[in-house]
Every structure is written in C-alpha cells, then in structure tokens.
Amino acid sequence: MKNRKRDIIFLYICTIPVSALLIFMLVIMEENHALPFALIPQLFITVCILIMCLQEKHIDKQNEKLKNIPEQEMRQQVLENYEHKGYRRISAETMTDDLKGIFRRRHAPLVLFIGAVSLAVTAFIIYLFVSMSVSSVLHDFGPLPVVTLIMTAFIALACIIIGTDLLIGFPVTTFAEKEKERLSMIDRSYMGGSMICGWFSGINIGIDYCVYYDLNSVKCFRTEDIWHIKVNRRITKKRDRSGFDVRDKKDISVELFVRGIRDTFRVSVNGLQLEYICDELMRRGVKIIK
C-alpha cells in the first residue's frame, strides 16, 4: 500500500511539467480564460486511477464469490447439470479412434487457424516486397517487415506441421505404439471409464487406468497409482507498476500426483467438471487436497 501511494504521488508529480508547459503557452497566447485546461493531465490521471480502483474492486468481488460458493449449492448444480455438462460421451469404437477425434475436433482447428493467420500476414508482407522495391520498404518501415516476415513464416510453418500431425492423430499413434503390450487392457479400461475434456487437456478415469492428453501428447498411468490430487479454485491477479490489480485469470483446475512419475498431470476445467473429477477419484480412494 505504501508503494502504491508513493507511485500515485509520482504520477501526479510527472504531470506537473506538462501542466506548467500548458500554462506557459496559454499565458503567451493571452488565453487566460483557458488556464483551467492546464489541469487536464491531473484529471486524466485521476480518471485512470478511479477506473483501476473499480476494476480492482470487481476482481476482488469475483475472487471472493469464487471462494465462497456454498458446497450445497455446488452439489445441487452438479446433480442438475450432470446429464448435459457431465462426462463426455464416448461414441467411437476404440480408444485410439476416440482420442484421434478429440485432437481433430478440439486441437487441430485452433492450431491451423493460427497457422492460417500467420500465413496471411506472411503473404501480405511478401506482397509489399513485390509491389514495392525492397529498398523502398526498408527505407519506409526499417527492418521491421523483414523480422516480421521471418517470424510469421516460421510460426505458419510450425502450426501447419503441428496441425497436420493433430489431424492424422500422430500423438495417439505414438502413444499406441509405446503402449502396445498393454494397449488392449488400457482400451478396455478407457471404454468403460469416464471422460472429462478440459480447455487444452483432458483425462479419462477408467476402470484400471487413467489416460491423460494435452495439446501434443497422450499419457497413461494406473488409477491406483494416483498419490493424491490438488484442487485449484482461485483467481490470480496481475498488478501494474502502481500496484493496482489490472487483470484477473480464473484458475479452476485439478493436478494429479502419481507415484513413480516426477511430472504432474494438470487439467483445466470448469467448476462442475472439477466436482465430477473429485467425486470419481474420491470413490477410488484418492486423497483430495483443496
């Protein structure tokens, strides 16, 4: 709070030279009736601080609301919305077909869209070089077009390659090849399990195995090897240089800790999906840390 007050005072001090310059110009121009306009910089800073205070108050209110959702109310929402917001229905005949469908429908379009936008920017820059001479473009815009061309071309190429891999289900094929010795058992467990699809990752809590996927990989571990899961339900804040909370990021996720595996498995979900995962793993005897 002390740093915030100091920074706010510093902002006002920085506006004094601007106001002094405005006063000097108005006096020279003999526009004395317009002298109050010299306070516009201070007024602008005041409005900005007021907006940031209101934004910070809104973020705190949302965070408090997220933390204080009554357990009974959340349970009621879980029961009422289970049919259409519960587990994803597995319609494919095999695990590999179902996972390939997830990558094709959920991940590949986003990556290919980014690649298409990058490719369009690359084509526009090339058009500038073709329609104008290279020396003219460099003279007018400097090295920025060249740097942008290299970056967008690289991003477009990478997204097209990754998007194509996702369309053909390359991560699933790699996983199936790696787990070919126990693939039939994993498949049987998967088809009889419960599937949760989060934003960029998901998990199938099967009979004996859990199958986890993220943007570019598929992994598997035994359900009984889950040590515990950590539940995250919070709003993280980002502060500006004046100490105000200027942006919030809602974090609702579950993090799985598995015996013998150093990495954790994180799935970002919505509030109802979080309850479904906790319910399912709690029935398996997994410890829930909230």
Side-chain angles (χ1 to χ4, degrees), residues 3-4 7 56 239-246:
N3 291 337
R4 176 185 296 184
D7 292 336
E56 185 179 58
R239 299 181 181 274
D240 64 358
R241 296 181 63 87
S242 301
F244 286 97
D245 299 328
V246 295

Side-chain angles (χ1 to χ4, degrees), residues 174-184 186 219-220:
T174 304
F175 167 74
E177 181 65 25
K178 180 181 178 182
E179 300 288 350
K180 59 182 179 180
E181 294 183 358
R182 55 175 186 172
L183 187 62
S184 60
I186 298 174
K219 299 177 182 178
C220 176

Side-chain angles (χ1 to χ4, degrees), residues 127-241:
Y127 170 77
L128 286 180
F129 282 119
V130 172
S131 60
M132 303 168 59
S133 64
V134 177
S135 58
S136 298
V137 174
L138 294 178
H139 178 269
D140 294 338
F141 302 100
L144 181 61
V146 177
V147 176
T148 306
L149 176 63
I150 295 173
M151 291 180 60
T152 54
F154 176 79
I155 294 174
L157 179 62
C159 288
I160 291 173
I161 294 174
I162 296 174
T164 303
D165 285 343
L166 295 177
L167 280 176
I168 64 177
F170 181 74
V172 182
T173 304
T174 304
F175 167 74
E177 181 65 25
K178 180 181 178 182
E179 300 288 350
K180 59 182 179 180
E181 294 183 358
R182 55 175 186 172
L183 187 62
S184 60
M185 295 184 294
I186 298 174
D187 186 275
R188 183 174 63 253
S189 173
Y190 182 98
M191 298 304 293
S194 303
M195 189 72 191
I196 289 287
C197 293
W199 300 112
F200 295 107
S201 59
I203 187 169
N204 176 281
I205 305 174
I207 302 172
D208 300 309
Y209 293 90
C210 285
V211 177
Y212 168 88
Y213 74 86
D214 54 23
L215 191 59
N216 57 6
S217 66
V218 180
K219 299 177 182 178
C220 176
F221 48 88
R222 293 187 65 87
T223 307
E224 62 184 20
D225 289 336
I226 301 176
W227 180 253
H228 64 268
I229 67 172
K230 181 180 178 182
V231 173
N232 299 311
R233 190 187 284 112
R234 65 178 182 270
I235 295 179
T236 56
K237 302 177 180 180
K238 181 179 180 180
R239 299 181 181 274
D240 64 358
R241 296 181 63 87

